[in-house]
Amino acid sequence: TPRDGKDFKKAKEFFACSHEGGESTLRLAQRIYNLLDEIKAESDKKTYILVAHNGLARVVQSYFTDMTTEEYAAFGVHTCAVVRYDFK
């Protein structure tokens, strides 16, 4: 479905529903948040580079920044963009 299509935008509203053949956005976020917690524990010793598509980049952004549902659904990074996050 097109990224700017109505169905794609509507699907982002179903955080707790498993997507066809996959997991829910909430379960995905849990896994990514757990990974980021592990990275944070070692962040004073190492630097990490994560490569992600917009679906994962959206979750990473929400870990570091409070976002409304609308902001979360609209968030995206440009192709080959580099975004830096620092743990507090």
Side-chain angles (χ1 to χ4, degrees):
T1 191
R3 289 176 188 238
D4 59 352
K6 188 174 90 173
D7 291 340
F8 187 77
K9 289 178 182 176
K10 187 71 176 165
K12 292 180 189 176
E13 296 177 11
F14 295 92
F15 294 113
C17 298
S18 295
H19 300 284
E20 186 177 329
E23 63 190 345
S24 70
T25 302
L26 287 177
R27 289 192 188 275
L28 169 68
Q30 177 187 12
R31 289 191 304 112
I32 299 302
Y33 278 30
N34 289 347
L35 171 66
L36 292 170
D37 286 342
E38 290 175 24
I39 290 172
K40 182 178 180 179
E42 297 184 356
S43 65
D44 60 332
K45 299 178 238 163
K46 297 179 181 179
T47 300
Y48 290 84
I49 296 174
L50 303 176
V51 179
H53 57 71
N54 270 337
L56 294 178
R58 193 174 290 118
V59 175
V60 172
Q61 177 72 13
S62 73
Y63 181 90
F64 289 94
T65 307
D66 288 339
M67 302 170 80
T68 65
T69 302
E70 291 79 16
E71 290 169 332
Y72 179 87
F75 182 82
V77 294
H78 294 287
T79 302
C80 297
V82 175
V83 180
R84 179 183 174 138
Y85 297 98
D86 294 304
F87 293 103
K88 295 178 184 181

